[in-house]
Amino acid sequence: MAATRPATGSAEPMNGTVFGVIVAISFCHLLNDMMQSLLPAIYPALKSDLHLSFGQIGLVTLAYQITASILQPLVGLYADKRPTPLALPGGTLFSLAGLTVLSAAHVYWLVLVGASLLGMGSSVFHPESSRVARMAAGQRHGLAQSLFQVGGNAGQALGPLAAALVVVRWGQSSLAFFALLALLSGAVLWNVAAWYRNHGLGRLAASRKIAEGVSLPQGQAARGIAILLALIFSKYVYLASLTSYYTFYLIQRFGLSVQSAQFHLFAFLAAVAAGTIMGGPLGDRFGRKYVIWFSILGALPFTLLLPHASLFWTGPITVAIGLILVSAFPAIVVFAQELVPGKVGMISGLFFGFSFGMGGIGAAALGWVADRTDIDTVYQVCAFLPAIGLLTALLPDPGKAGRPA
C-alpha cells in the first residue's frame, strides 16, 4: 500500500537535502548501535561468569552478526520491490527483545538467543534506514551516508562507555534499562516512516531515473561489487579484532583493569565515528575512489606497528586506525549504489549484511586463533589485512560513481 503514494512527494524539491530526516535517522542509528554494542562490551563479564573460552565468545559474535548478515540483503531486496515504511519502527522490537533476553541470560544458549535477536533488529533497521538516507540526500549522497553512519559509530562508541559506567557497576541485569531505548527509537522512526511514505518514495524514484542514465554494463558492475566486497572483508575482519578482543589484549598485555580497557575501547570507537564523518563529504568533493585508496591503505602502517607498540603508543595508534580505516565505508556504499541504480535497498542490505557477516566470521576465527596461540598473535596476523586495498586499482569508473558531483 505504501508504494502507491509516492506522488504526494511531488510538491517537495527533489534535489534538496532534507537534513531533519537524516539527523532523525542518524539519531536512531546511534540508539540502535549503542544497544547492539553492549553485547561485546559485556564480553569480559560473560567470560568470567559463564566460564567461556575465546572461541565461545567468538561464536556469540558470530550468532549476532550472521543473523544480521543473512537477513539484511533479503530485507533490502523486499523493500526495493515492496516498500514498507512501518518496518522501521517495527524492527526496534527485536532489539528490545534481544537486550531483555541478555539481561536475564545465565546460560550460554540464552546468550546466543539474545545475540540472534539483536542481529534481527539490525537486519531490519540498516537497509531500510540507509534507503531513507538516500531518499533525503538530494545531490549529497556521500554526506547523507556519512551522517547516517556516524550515528551508528557514535552509538558503538557509547556502548562500551555505558557498559563501563553502568553494566560493570550494576551487572548484566542493567541491560534491561538500555532496552527501553528501543521504545524511544521506535517513536522517532514512526515519524520518519510517515515522511518515507509521503515524500521519500517519490524522491527515490526521481533519482533512480537519473542514475540509470549513467549505469555500467552488468558484467563491469558485478566486478566492481565483488571488489568492494573484498575491501569490506579486509576492513571488517580487522575491526572485529579490535571490537571483540581489544579489551582482552589490553588486560593481558598491559595489565589494565576491565574498566580502563573499556575506556580505551571507547576512544577507538570514537575515532571510528570521526572517520565516518570525513569519508562521505570527501568522496562527494574529491571522488570516492581516492577516499577508498586513502582509507584502506592509509591504515596499513599503523596496523603493522600496533603489535610492537608500548601502552603509551597503543592508544594513539588504534585511534589513527579507527579514524583512517572507517572513512571508506560511506564512499564504498554510495559507490556500490551508483554501480547498481534502482537497487538501493538490496545494495545497502548486501553491504551492511556482508560487513556484519565478515565481522562475525572474523571474530569466531580470531577467537580460535587466540585460544590456540595467544591474543598478541591475533594482531600480528591481522596487521596485513589492509593490503587487500590494492584491489581498489581494479574498480570501474561509471559516470558519476567515484567522481566529484
Side-chain angles (χ1 to χ4, degrees):
M1 182 179 296
T4 64
R5 298 185 60 181
T8 58
S10 59
E12 182 180 276
M14 293 295 179
N15 60 351
T17 304
V18 187
F19 284 103
V21 171
I22 296 172
V23 170
I25 208 75
S26 180
F27 173 69
C28 292
H29 202 182
L30 182 152
L31 295 178
N32 178 83
D33 283 25
M34 186 178 77
M35 292 184 289
Q36 310 287 329
S37 68
L38 288 171
L39 178 62
I42 63 169
Y43 281 171
L46 290 175
K47 188 176 189 298
S48 174
D49 295 343
L50 301 182
H51 308 289
L52 304 181
S53 67
F54 283 118
Q56 288 175 307
I57 291 290
L59 287 176
V60 174
T61 303
L62 181 64
Y64 162 66
Q65 307 242 32
I66 288 297
T67 304
S69 176
I70 292 173
L71 292 178
Q72 284 198 47
L74 299 178
V75 171
L77 182 61
Y78 180 84
D80 286 331
K81 294 181 177 180
R82 189 170 183 176
T84 309
L86 290 181
L88 279 169
T92 60
L93 298 177
F94 290 107
S95 297
L96 186 151
L99 282 180
T100 302
V101 169
L102 285 171
S103 70
H106 298 297
V107 292
Y108 183 60
W109 69 269
L110 269 181
V111 175
L112 294 175
V113 170
S116 298
L117 286 169
L118 282 177
M120 293 174 69
S122 282
S123 72
V124 176
F125 177 82
H126 284 102
E128 277 290 75
S129 54
S130 184
R131 274 168 56 85
V132 172
R134 180 83 180 184
M135 293 171 182
Q139 299 298 315
R140 306 170 78 175
H141 299 298
L143 174 63
Q145 199 63 225
S146 278
L147 290 176
F148 163 64
Q149 290 176 22
V150 78
N153 294 139
Q156 290 172 7
L158 289 172
L161 185 62
L165 297 177
V166 179
V167 180
V168 170
R169 183 173 180 181
W170 281 287
Q172 185 178 339
S173 61
S174 63
L175 290 177
F177 166 77
F178 292 101
L180 297 177
L181 294 176
L183 299 178
L184 173 61
S185 178
V188 176
L189 289 174
W190 184 274
N191 291 295
V192 170
W195 180 89
Y196 178 164
R197 181 182 63 248
N198 296 326
H199 302 287
L201 292 172
R203 292 167 62 95
L204 191 62
S207 66
R208 180 190 306 153
K209 292 179 181 178
I210 297 172
E212 286 174 348
V214 294
S215 60
L216 280 174
Q218 187 174 2
Q220 292 186 42
R223 186 191 71 189
I225 294 295
I227 292 171
L228 293 173
L229 289 174
L231 301 183
I232 291 292
F233 165 82
S234 69
K235 174 182 182 297
Y236 271 86
V237 172
Y238 190 89
L239 287 176
S241 73
L242 288 170
T243 55
S244 292
Y245 301 111
Y246 185 41
T247 53
F248 296 112
Y249 175 75
L250 295 171
I251 292 168
Q252 178 176 305
R253 181 165 184 183
F254 302 113
L256 297 186
S257 66
V258 172
Q259 194 169 37
S260 296
Q262 293 284 11
F263 282 115
H264 278 75
L265 181 59
F266 166 73
F268 164 72
L269 293 174
V272 167
T276 304
I277 296 176
M278 294 165 37
L282 289 175
D284 285 339
R285 182 169 180 81
F286 299 108
R288 307 192 210 291
K289 285 182 72 171
Y290 293 113
V291 173
I292 295 170
W293 270 118
F294 168 73
S295 174
I296 301 293
L297 288 179
L300 184 59
F302 296 102
T303 60
L304 293 172
L305 284 172
L306 180 61
H308 312 287
S310 65
L311 176 61
F312 178 82
W313 286 108
T314 293
I317 287 174
T318 52
V319 165
I321 291 171
L323 190 69
I324 298 172
L325 192 64
V326 181
S327 62
F329 193 63
I332 288 173
V333 171
V334 175
F335 198 108
Q337 289 172 345
E338 292 171 345
L339 285 174
V340 190
K343 300 291 184 182
V344 174
M346 185 195 72
I347 291 297
S348 299
L350 174 64
F351 276 81
F352 279 103
F354 188 77
S355 66
F356 275 58
M358 287 301 99
I361 293 171
L366 296 174
W368 183 87
V369 171
D371 281 334
R372 281 151 184 78
T373 55
D374 56 57
I375 202 74
D376 289 354
T377 305
V378 168
Y379 294 100
Q380 293 169 4
V381 170
C382 291
F384 298 92
L385 282 173
I388 294 175
L390 290 169
L391 291 173
T392 303
L394 303 178
L395 282 174
D397 188 19
K400 296 181 180 179
R403 292 182 187 172

